[in-house]
Amino acid sequence: NKMRKAGLILKAFADGADSKNAYVVVNSPEDVPVIVKAITNLEVDAEHILRADGVGESAVLKKFDRKRSVFLGSLPRRVTESDIRWVLWDAGEVDAVRIVRDKKTQDCKGFAFARFKERKSVKAALNLWDLRIHGKYIRVTKVEDEEGGNDAGRPKKLKPEVEKRIMLKQQQRQRAKAKKQREFVEQAKAAGLRTSKKKAPKVKRKVLATAGR
């Protein structure tokens, strides 16, 4: 891309850009997966984590494992990978993020994909509620399909009023669930029952053996 090359030479980077891309030429194609594995998810600082991938046929991040990934919608234009990792922190460790951006402006198109290290984190992420990035409510759903291009896995676009109604219902269900849990804990305490998940200590019993006459 001529514009990108000119921007690099002139050091005219986009204002507010949180991340930068670079290309490295290695000795052989066999070195690509080795280097990718070595530096992917390497923490640079508190807000930046390195993400490495091959180019062309060597690329592996074009498609995400559907069973370990979630779709994020209603994202702000200036969202960063760090924002997505942080908002999903309670669900589990995110090992890859793919933000779908406009080719000209490099702004987020409003959706992205996040892949977790463990499959169980997907269910935890779907149960999160009241998620916001830069003050804007976002939605987290299952990835529908893992084939195709940039829009692969993206659920069908809903009308704003429908999307808002779905989000409100999700929040109501989560509040109702939290209320039931609080009531259960209060009732258990009133009845003198244990509410902690810790197992009761085992009591060692001594057995006295006697010889029969």
Side-chain angles (χ1 to χ4, degrees):
N1 188 302
K2 293 182 179 180
M3 292 298 293
R4 290 184 182 179
K5 289 182 179 179
L8 179 61
I9 294 171
L10 298 174
K11 296 187 177 185
F13 300 113
D15 294 334
D18 183 69
S19 61
K20 299 290 186 295
N21 297 328
Y23 293 90
V24 177
V25 179
V26 296
N27 292 328
S28 67
E30 290 75 19
D31 294 334
V32 174
V34 178
I35 296 174
V36 168
K37 185 177 181 180
I39 66 175
T40 295
N41 288 326
L42 186 65
E43 188 173 339
V44 180
D45 55 35
E47 296 183 354
H48 297 87
I49 296 177
L50 287 181
R51 174 172 58 85
D53 194 12
V55 178
E57 295 181 356
S58 300
V60 296
L61 289 179
K62 285 184 177 180
K63 298 177 183 178
F64 275 21
D65 179 5
R66 180 175 58 83
K67 295 181 179 180
R68 287 196 293 132
S69 306
V70 293
F71 171 88
L72 297 95
S74 303
L75 297 173
R77 292 187 302 111
R78 295 293 184 179
V79 68
T80 65
E81 289 190 17
S82 178
D83 293 330
I84 292 175
R85 291 176 185 271
W86 178 255
V87 80
L88 296 175
W89 178 264
D90 290 336
E93 182 180 350
V94 175
D95 68 356
V97 176
R98 180 159 61 87
I99 300 174
V100 181
R101 300 184 181 277
D102 182 271
K103 291 183 178 180
K104 293 183 178 179
T105 65
Q106 290 301 303
D107 287 340
C108 174
K109 286 186 174 182
F111 63 98
F113 300 90
R115 188 182 68 193
F116 289 99
K117 188 175 182 179
E118 298 180 344
R119 289 175 58 178
K120 64 180 182 180
S121 299
V122 171
K123 185 176 180 180
L126 297 176
N127 288 329
L128 296 175
W129 60 284
D130 196 29
L131 297 180
R132 282 178 278 186
I133 294 180
H134 301 174
K136 183 179 180 181
Y137 282 102
I138 68 170
R139 59 190 177 95
V140 179
T141 60
K142 293 181 180 180
V143 176
E144 300 296 336
D145 185 13
E146 58 185 339
E147 299 295 334
N150 285 338
D151 288 349
R154 183 180 185 182
K156 294 181 180 179
K157 190 172 182 180
L158 302 175
K159 293 181 179 180
E161 58 271 19
V162 176
E163 186 175 323
K164 184 177 180 181
R165 188 163 62 248
I166 292 174
M167 187 178 295
L168 289 174
K169 285 184 178 180
Q170 290 177 344
Q171 293 177 1
Q172 289 173 358
R173 284 197 296 267
Q174 291 296 330
R175 291 192 186 100
K177 184 178 179 180
K179 183 179 179 182
K180 286 183 179 179
Q181 189 174 4
R182 288 195 301 269
E183 291 176 351
F184 173 78
V185 172
E186 291 174 359
Q187 291 174 2
K189 287 182 179 179
L193 300 176
R194 294 175 59 87
T195 58
S196 174
K197 293 183 180 179
K198 295 182 180 179
K199 295 181 179 179
K202 294 182 178 180
V203 179
K204 295 183 179 180
R205 296 181 180 178
K206 295 182 179 180
V207 179
L208 177 63
T210 58
R213 292 181 180 178

